[in-house]
Amino acid sequence: MKQLPYHEQKDRENIKKLRSMVQELPLFCPEFFRGIEQQTSSRTRIAYAYDLKIFFDFLHKENPSIAKLDIKEITLSHLDQLQVTDLEEYMEYLKYRFNEKNQEIVNKERGIMRKISSLKSFYNYYYHREMIKNNPAALVSLPKLHEKEIIRLDVDEVAKLLDEVETGESLTEKQKQFHNRTKIRDLALLTLLLGTGIRVSECVGLDLDDLDFKNGGIRIHRKGGKEVTVYFGVEVEDALLDYMEERQDMLPVSGHENALFLSLQMKRMSVRSVENLVKKYAKIVTPLKKITPHKLRSTYGTTLYQETGDIYLVADVLGHSDVNTTKKHYAALDDARRRSARDKVRLREP
């Protein structure tokens, strides 16, 4: 049987997980997930299921008329009877709660906003289909978000990071034991992330036949399943070619034969393993910055924008469906460029 591409494998796994999660929700919920299937990815639907489970747990704990019911017995009529104050209490509950294992969970602004956004979509679905008469979620204001500083690597830090991957001089003795076995792979992987700005999920999903050295591109699957080609420069090409020499002699575990980046266990690398890899090297180079694969993506986007000044090109290469998302991340660079102009024009000779 032909091995499925990575993104199709993950999609199947996500759908199985989603089915299991939906079974724990009220009986009217499957219709919602079927209704949004064509407009959302399986990962997005899993996030909805997770958020809705928290909401119904809240109702079960805090709402007297629902507390005596099993969660699966909650009906659309119960949903229709809720008021804005009930949802505002839910927002308050989200700030500080305990999960089923009695572990303390604190949600910050963005976590609360996502859960309320999920609830708004949920209510809108049934309201627009006239299955409920009231839509209190539409009247609830989302929490105000405070803009976070965009963390990225400076130019000299990028060079130091790649130098550290090559030499491994500052690694611990234990880390050095593995370094010689992984440094060519690590250098190819980090050079690829820094030189293309692809997402970590797109990176680990790469198969051998996604590489096109003739045209200098890689085929990736964006969010929503869109297939695109991202092009790379000479530095990325050199690092990938070095790794490909090594990759040809590897014997992957069954089911992982097509994976580009392999772990020491000869399996496709996971998102978590790449996150740990980035953290290991970045902590040496810039201990005060919390660098993740996504920060490497921000680093690439910043550099590309500084070099081209073309926000639409940056949005396209990064795969942002809305250029406003890109502007939000890189608007500060515009301001810095404007400030740099203040001393360029002299009105009088000193």
Side-chain angles (χ1 to χ4, degrees):
M1 183 176 176
K2 186 179 178 181
Q3 186 180 340
L4 289 173
Y6 172 78
H7 71 282
E8 290 186 23
Q9 293 179 36
K10 294 301 294 183
D11 198 48
R12 285 193 177 189
E13 291 172 13
N14 287 341
I15 289 171
K16 288 179 181 178
K17 182 178 180 180
L18 178 63
R19 287 173 180 170
S20 175
M21 296 175 74
V22 171
Q23 286 177 0
E24 299 179 10
L25 299 176
L27 297 177
F28 61 87
C29 290
E31 181 178 337
F32 167 71
F33 288 96
R34 286 194 297 271
I36 64 172
E37 184 172 352
Q38 298 303 315
Q39 295 84 38
T40 57
S41 68
S42 55
R43 286 180 61 189
T44 297
R45 295 195 297 279
I46 284 176
Y48 276 136
Y50 173 77
D51 292 344
L52 292 173
K53 179 66 164 59
I54 294 173
F55 174 64
F56 287 116
D57 281 341
F58 160 76
L59 292 180
H60 190 253
K61 290 176 183 176
E62 307 293 335
N63 192 298
S65 63
I66 294 176
K68 56 189 176 184
L69 301 174
D70 182 83
I71 285 179
K72 297 191 72 170
E73 296 175 325
I74 298 174
T75 66
L76 276 173
S77 295
H78 293 110
L79 205 66
D80 210 358
Q81 292 167 15
L82 296 179
Q83 304 296 318
V84 173
T85 52
D86 293 305
L87 303 190
E88 289 174 341
E89 287 175 7
Y90 174 54
M91 287 180 67
E92 187 66 29
Y93 166 82
L94 288 173
K95 294 179 183 177
Y96 178 82
R97 64 188 179 86
F98 290 88
N99 64 12
E100 294 172 353
K101 297 180 181 178
N102 207 33
Q103 296 169 322
E104 181 181 284
I105 296 178
V106 177
N107 279 298
K108 296 184 179 179
E109 293 169 345
R110 293 179 187 278
I112 294 173
M113 186 179 80
R114 195 196 82 174
K115 290 171 178 60
I116 298 301
S117 294
S118 295
L119 195 59
K120 283 177 174 284
S121 297
F122 189 63
Y123 258 97
N124 284 340
Y125 178 84
Y126 294 105
Y127 182 74
H128 290 149
R129 283 160 183 76
E130 299 183 345
M131 298 171 73
I132 55 175
K133 295 179 181 178
N134 300 306
N135 187 1
L139 304 176
V140 175
S141 299
L142 290 171
K144 182 180 179 181
L145 290 181
H146 294 85
E147 289 300 322
K148 296 194 298 184
E149 180 188 3
I150 303 298
I151 298 173
R152 55 179 74 86
L153 291 173
D154 297 329
V155 174
D156 63 319
E157 291 171 335
V158 170
K160 288 177 182 177
L161 178 69
L162 297 178
D163 288 345
E164 186 58 48
V165 177
E166 281 190 313
T167 65
E169 287 180 356
S170 302
L171 297 174
T172 65
E173 291 304 314
K174 186 176 180 180
Q175 288 172 335
K176 286 178 180 178
Q177 294 174 14
F178 299 99
H179 180 251
N180 282 335
R181 298 167 62 188
T182 65
K183 67 178 180 180
I184 294 177
R185 180 205 68 187
D186 295 352
L187 186 61
L189 195 154
L190 291 179
T191 303
L192 179 64
L193 289 175
L194 284 163
T196 62
I198 62 173
R199 297 178 176 90
V200 62
S201 59
E202 295 163 351
C203 180
V204 299
L206 287 171
D207 287 333
L208 292 170
D209 56 8
D210 290 327
L211 289 176
D212 177 7
F213 286 107
K214 181 180 179 181
N215 296 299
I218 51 172
R219 178 178 59 204
I220 60 172
H221 292 86
R222 294 288 195 198
K223 287 181 177 180
K226 183 181 179 182
E227 186 179 289
V228 299
T229 298
V230 173
Y231 297 94
F232 52 76
V234 175
E235 290 176 288
V236 175
E237 180 180 7
D238 290 344
L240 286 174
L241 285 172
D242 287 343
Y243 173 65
M244 287 305 296
E245 287 186 21
E246 188 177 80
R247 175 66 179 81
Q248 289 171 2
D249 297 326
M250 296 180 181
L251 296 174
V253 171
S254 177
H256 298 262
E257 294 89 350
N258 294 334
L260 175 59
F261 292 112
L262 295 174
S263 67
L264 288 173
Q265 291 74 39
M266 295 296 116
K267 296 180 179 179
R268 183 187 295 274
M269 291 186 73
S270 65
V271 169
R272 177 62 61 85
S273 61
V274 175
E275 289 172 343
N276 290 336
L277 176 71
V278 171
K279 181 180 178 181
K280 177 177 72 173
Y281 290 113
K283 193 164 61 173
I284 296 170
V285 174
T286 175
L288 296 183
K289 291 181 181 178
K290 187 179 179 182
I291 299 298
T292 64
H294 193 75
K295 301 299 186 293
L296 302 187
R297 180 170 157 84
S298 294
T299 299
Y300 173 80
T302 300
T303 306
L304 183 61
Y305 185 58
Q306 287 174 331
E307 291 296 323
T308 66
D310 188 340
I311 198 70
Y312 293 96
L313 174 64
V314 177
D316 183 50
V317 173
L318 292 181
H320 290 162
S321 56
D322 184 353
V323 74
N324 288 317
T325 302
T326 320
K327 287 179 178 178
K328 181 177 68 177
H329 282 74
Y330 302 106
L333 297 177
D334 272 334
D335 188 54
R337 290 168 68 192
R338 283 192 294 269
R339 285 201 306 272
S340 71
R342 62 188 172 188
D343 296 321
K344 300 297 183 186
V345 176
R346 305 300 296 267
L347 302 181
R348 299 192 204 183
E349 289 299 322

